[in-house]
């Protein structure tokens, strides 16, 4: 994209998942990756899980959490929807949707006012604490309780539990990140860890739970419109010089301006500034907010190329479809949520006319006039070419410089940072310093910012979207699995029993769910874990695509859409 298309308009699914978390982490501690692996919950005395439902979205992480609780770890679950982990939690805080900052600032108020701050850590390793402490003085639990819906005594108890623990860890999901104030939500979590010194040790730290198997690796490799690999800014002259040298091109070939994000690209299509798109392994016709508008934008392109495994809803709009390879049909590496680079080996040949993804990309490069002869031909399982690509990655990405392809073949998995060959890798980071210019972490105060769209008389309910255990994301693969589709064959909307009674609806009835952008028809399911006044719709079903309803308003820092909050109404379908 950067050489062949001459543009930084390249983005991927993290923009719809954890871009706001990454923005806050880069700003606050200099790294967008997790500080500790998930299994460190076994070493923690207290674990906070906020804005996540791990038993559905991260089952392996959920198993570690359950094992930790069984061994004595105290779990605090914070989420408007009651997930399965609430049954084993020491405290469950069902705060009102959209009130994360109010709740978290109230916790910090307690920590500051009751002298629970780790003063030595703050003095030695952070900056900006005074402004943060002054900001949270106005957020007493008593003042915030009516806003967030959690009583002041519970807020105080949880704050004390987290701050006084020998080792406390925070894990969060898209319930934190997918808001117009998602970056502020993450800033508060970072501040909690910093003011209590709960980072840089086993059993502590910050862990934004990544869902997809290589979302961390895609971010690390530079599939971001403002970053080269390893989060080196495209508007940095030094970074452009390094990559121009690595790619053997004049520095003038590299665009010095950050590109457009996923949602911004759709707006640019509407404005006539983008004429073509190349979409690889994503399904924006289902996953983008305000999906009707996104589909219209895709249909208006002069050229749409889709590289995928199946005829997705996006591929149905394409001018050209390139048949791609599945994970078991190619050799390469994945980087998981724990920062572990893992080897993936080909065990099946791609079927029919499908091709290795790297073969397709190299052939595209040749036809765009790029000299990629150094990679050689992509033949057989492509491993020789993959090894050369990986070698280029480790020479342009300091975080994985010590991971050779040969080592990956021998060991199977290595955790980064791994700065030199022979280094074991670092599962726990920020032990002595943070990767910032000063070596210190930075506190960033946050104030309450309401959702872009609020309930009113016409649209009195709040829509929350997400995944379910049986179907992944837009269902491109899982809904083609007969066993999984038999378990959850049809779209449903979950509502609290009190709301069903108020509206005169019976479980199983067909209803219309309508927002200012669209309408879907689906069966209603009683779920008293859904908050009163809220509805939950999984976004895997093309028959009732939840993103026909959602709001495309963006967080100003992470440029992530507000998937977790929009106003809707529910009516019985005639």
């Amino acid at each position: 994209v950067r050489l062949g298309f001459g543009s930084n308009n390249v983005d991927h699914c993290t923009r719809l998942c954890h871009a706001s978390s990454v923005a806050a982490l880069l700003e606050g501690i200099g790294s967008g990756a997790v500080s500790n692996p998930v299994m460190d919950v076994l070493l923690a005395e207290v674990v906070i899980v906020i804005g996540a439902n791990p038993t559905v979205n991260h089952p392996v992480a959920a198993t570690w959490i359950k094992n930790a609780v069984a061994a004595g770890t105290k779990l605090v679950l914070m989420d408007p929807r009651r997930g399965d982990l609430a049954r084993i939690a020491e405290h469950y805080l069902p705060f009102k949707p959209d009130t994360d900052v109010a709740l978290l600032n109230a916790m910090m108020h307690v920590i500051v006012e009751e002298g629970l701050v780790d003063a030595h850590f703050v003095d030695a390793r952070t900056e900006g604490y005074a402004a943060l402490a002054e900001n949270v003085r106005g957020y007493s639990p008593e003042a915030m309780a009516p806003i967030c819906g959690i009583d002041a005594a519970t807020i105080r108890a949880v704050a004390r539990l987290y701050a006084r623990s020998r080792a406390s860890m925070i894990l969060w999901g898209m319930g934190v990140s997918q808001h117009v104030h998602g970056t502020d939500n993450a800033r508060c979590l970072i501040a909690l860890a910093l003011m209590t010194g709960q980072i840089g040790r086993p059993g502590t730290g910050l862990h934004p739970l990544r869902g997809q198997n290589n979302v961390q690796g895609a971010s690390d490799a530079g599939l971001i419109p403002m970053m080269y690999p390893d989060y080196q800014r495209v508007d940095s002259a030094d970074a452009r010089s390094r990559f121009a040298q690595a790619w053997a091109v004049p520095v003038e070939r590299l665009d010095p301006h950050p590109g457009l994000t996923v949602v911004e690209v759709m707006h640019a299509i509407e404005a006539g500034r983008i004429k073509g798109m190349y979409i690889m392994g994503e399904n924006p016709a289902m996953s983008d907010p305000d999906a009707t508008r996104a589909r219209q934008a895709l249909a208006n392109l002069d050229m749409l190329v889709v590289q995928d495994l199946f005829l997705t809803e996006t591929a149905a709009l394409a001018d050209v479809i390139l048949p791609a390879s599945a994970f078991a049909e190619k050799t390469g590496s994945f980087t998981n949520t724990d920062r572990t680079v893992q080897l993936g080996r080909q065990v099946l040949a791609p079927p029919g006319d499908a091709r290795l993804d790297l073969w397709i990309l190299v052939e595209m490069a040749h036809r765009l006039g790029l000299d990629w002869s150094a990679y050689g031909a992509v033949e057989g399982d492509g491993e020789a070419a993959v090894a050369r690509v990986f070698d280029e990655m480790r020479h342009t990405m300091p975080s994985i410089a010590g991971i050779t392809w040969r080592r990956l073949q021998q060991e199977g998995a290595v955790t980064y940072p791994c700065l030199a060959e022979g280094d074991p890798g670092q599962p726990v980071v920020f032990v002595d310093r943070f990767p910032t210019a000063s070596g210190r972490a930075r506190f960033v105060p946050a104030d309450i910012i309401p959702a872009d769209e609020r309930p009113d008389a016409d649209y009195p309910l709040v829509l929350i979207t997400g995944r379910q255990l049986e179907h992944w994301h837009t269902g491109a693969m899982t809904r083609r699995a007969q066993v999984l589709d038999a378990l959850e064959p049809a779209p449903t909307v979950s509502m609290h029993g009190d709301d069903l009674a108020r509206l005169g609806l019976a479980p199983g009835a067909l209803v219309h769910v309508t927002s200012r952008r669209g309408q879907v028809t689906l069966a209603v399911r009683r779920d008293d874990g859904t908050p009163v006044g809220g509805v939950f719709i999984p976004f895997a079903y093309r028959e009732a695509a939840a993103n026909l309803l959602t709001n495309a308003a963006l967080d100003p820092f992470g440029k992530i859409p507000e998937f977790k909050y929009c106003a809707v109404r529910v009516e019985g379908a005639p």
Side-chain angles (χ1 to χ4, degrees), residues 274-292:
I274 296 288
K275 302 294 186 182
M277 282 187 74
Y278 187 119
I279 297 175
M280 178 177 172
E282 294 217 16
N283 190 11
M286 285 285 287
S287 61
D288 270 27
D290 194 359
T292 298

Side-chain angles (χ1 to χ4, degrees), residues 401-417:
I403 308 176
T404 65
W405 184 253
R406 182 175 179 81
R407 178 178 178 182
L408 208 54
Q409 289 177 308
Q410 293 172 337
E411 299 181 24
V414 182
T415 299
Y416 77 78

Side-chain angles (χ1 to χ4, degrees), residues 7-368:
S7 164
N8 286 316
N9 294 337
V10 57
D11 208 2
H12 75 289
C13 67
T14 195
R15 188 67 47 199
L16 307 178
C17 300
H18 267 301
S20 53
S21 303
V22 171
L25 288 165
L26 287 172
E27 169 192 66
I29 60 179
S31 169
V34 302
S35 66
N36 295 59
V38 171
M39 69 174 64
D40 258 23
V41 295
L42 293 169
L43 305 176
E45 287 187 355
V46 174
V47 171
I48 290 178
V49 176
I50 178 170
N53 187 1
T55 53
V56 168
N57 295 318
H58 310 93
V60 176
T63 300
W64 288 114
I65 293 168
K66 291 174 185 176
N67 291 344
V69 171
T73 297
K74 290 181 170 61
L75 172 65
V76 177
L77 182 65
M78 304 177 178
D79 198 280
R81 296 178 63 228
R82 183 183 180 91
D84 289 343
L85 290 180
R87 293 183 292 107
I88 61 172
E90 183 83 4
H91 295 279
Y92 168 53
L93 280 61
F95 64 91
K96 296 177 183 177
D98 193 46
T99 63
D100 313 61
V101 170
L103 173 60
L104 298 172
N105 273 354
M107 289 179 60
M108 286 189 277
H109 173 98
V110 174
I111 292 167
V112 171
E113 295 299 318
E114 296 188 6
L116 302 177
V117 173
D118 185 336
H120 175 74
F121 185 92
V122 168
D123 290 343
R125 300 195 55 193
T126 72
E127 57 191 32
Y129 170 73
L132 188 285
E134 181 61 31
N135 187 66
V136 301
R137 290 191 194 282
Y139 287 88
S140 70
E142 289 72 21
M144 294 301 105
I147 295 174
C148 67
I150 304 299
D151 66 90
T154 299
I155 295 174
R156 290 184 180 278
V158 169
R160 292 165 184 157
L161 183 67
Y162 174 80
R164 290 171 175 167
S165 153
R166 173 188 55 79
S168 293
M169 190 171 178
I170 302 174
L171 301 95
W172 72 93
M174 282 165 275
V176 165
S177 59
Q178 289 178 336
H179 293 274
V180 292
H181 50 78
T183 301
D184 282 336
N185 295 345
R187 284 167 172 158
C188 290
L189 296 175
I190 293 165
L192 267 175
L194 295 177
M195 67 167 47
T196 54
Q198 298 285 11
I199 193 167
R201 295 177 283 115
T204 68
L206 298 158
H207 192 118
L209 288 159
R210 267 71 179 197
Q212 299 203 66
N213 62 348
N214 201 32
V215 67
Q216 183 67 57
S219 299
D220 296 343
L223 288 178
I224 308 177
M226 64 289 294
M227 304 285 189
Y228 292 126
D230 238 12
Y231 307 96
Q232 301 172 68
R233 297 274 316 182
V234 300
D235 49 11
S236 162
D238 289 343
R240 287 199 306 280
S241 177
R242 285 193 293 273
F243 281 94
Q245 183 176 5
W247 294 336
V249 298
V251 71
E252 294 77 20
R253 285 279 300 277
L254 298 180
D255 184 353
H257 305 292
L260 300 174
T261 63
V262 167
V263 178
E264 290 174 328
V265 165
M266 298 302 175
H267 298 164
I269 296 170
E270 293 175 340
R273 293 187 289 116
I274 296 288
K275 302 294 186 182
M277 282 187 74
Y278 187 119
I279 297 175
M280 178 177 172
E282 294 217 16
N283 190 11
M286 285 285 287
S287 61
D288 270 27
D290 194 359
T292 298
R293 186 177 177 184
R295 293 173 183 181
Q296 186 61 53
L298 293 170
N300 286 343
L301 287 165
D302 291 349
M303 172 62 76
L304 174 60
V305 179
V306 173
Q307 182 172 328
D308 215 321
L309 305 177
F310 301 107
L311 188 67
T312 64
E313 290 74 18
T314 302
L317 299 170
D319 298 285
V320 175
I321 300 172
L322 302 175
S325 47
F327 79 99
E329 297 163 3
K330 58 195 170 193
T331 295
S333 69
F334 301 91
T335 305
N336 74 1
T337 190
D338 284 343
R339 291 180 279 104
T340 300
V341 183
Q342 301 170 297
L343 179 67
R345 294 187 183 277
Q346 184 189 57
V347 294
L348 299 169
D353 291 330
R355 296 289 184 269
L356 298 177
D357 291 287
L358 184 58
W359 183 91
I360 295 173
L361 293 174
V362 169
E363 292 301 315
M364 284 280 293
H366 290 162
R367 286 157 174 76
L368 288 167

Side-chain angles (χ1 to χ4, degrees), residues 220 230-231 394 396-403 415-420:
D220 296 343
D230 238 12
Y231 307 96
R394 77 181 193 92
T396 57
M397 299 169 62
S399 64
I400 64 167
I403 308 176
T415 299
Y416 77 78
C418 183
L419 306 181

